[in-house]
Every structure is written in C-alpha cells, then in structure tokens.
Amino acid sequence: MIDGAGVASAIVGNKVPGVFAAVCWDQFTAKIAREHDDANLLALGGQVLGPALAKEVVRTFLATEFGGGRHARRVNKIKSIESRFMRREEKV
C-alpha cells in the first residue's frame, strides 16, 4: 500500500485480521519487518521514498522470508492478542 508517509496505510492494513502491515523506509526496515515480524503487507510513503529506493524496498520485502525461531514467539503473542479481540468483537 502507498500513501504519503506510509503510516495511515499500515494503520488501515492492521485493522484487517491476519494482516501484519509494516511501514518500511529502506531495505533494512523491509528485511527486519519480514524476517523478525512476519509482516505480510508493505506500507510505503510516496512522499518519503523516491522511485528507485521504493523498488529496492519492495524487492527486499518480497525476497525476505520469516526467520521463525525466537521471532516466532513474538509473532505468536501478537496473533494471540489479535484472536482475543476478534472473539470479543464476535460477541458484540
């Protein structure tokens, strides 16, 4: 998703169950978002990144796999929180 700074896109994306959106400003943040946090939606700021850097960020995001291991514990905690709130919303 692309907007001015990428932040609003990430906020909207993270409202969707199962989506882990991350704003990435460079290849490092794209790599870490995928490798450590299992992000599955990339949010970019069109007013922050030039076209060449944006392409590199997208390439890095798509080429990086989730690292699992110690990072999986954190991601599972996030998923647990998400599922508790989803169950709560179903009751309303």
Side-chain angles (χ1 to χ4, degrees), residues 14-92:
N14 283 315
K15 300 292 182 188
V16 178
V19 171
F20 289 145
V23 182
C24 298
W25 294 282
D26 53 27
Q27 291 103 318
F28 176 76
T29 53
K31 183 178 186 315
I32 295 302
R34 285 288 303 129
E35 192 173 87
H36 292 199
D37 300 316
D38 200 17
N40 56 16
L41 188 147
L42 173 61
L44 298 175
Q47 296 175 357
V48 179
L49 304 176
L53 179 55
K55 287 178 186 176
E56 288 304 314
V57 171
V58 170
R59 283 189 188 107
T60 300
F61 188 86
L62 294 175
T64 305
E65 296 201 18
F66 178 50
R70 65 185 176 93
H71 307 300
R73 288 190 301 271
R74 177 180 52 254
V75 170
N76 287 334
K77 287 178 185 179
I78 295 167
K79 288 179 180 180
S80 173
I81 292 167
E82 180 184 58
S83 69
R84 281 187 296 206
F85 280 96
M86 286 174 54
R87 284 193 305 266
R88 188 178 304 163
E89 287 178 0
E90 289 172 1
K91 292 178 184 178
V92 174

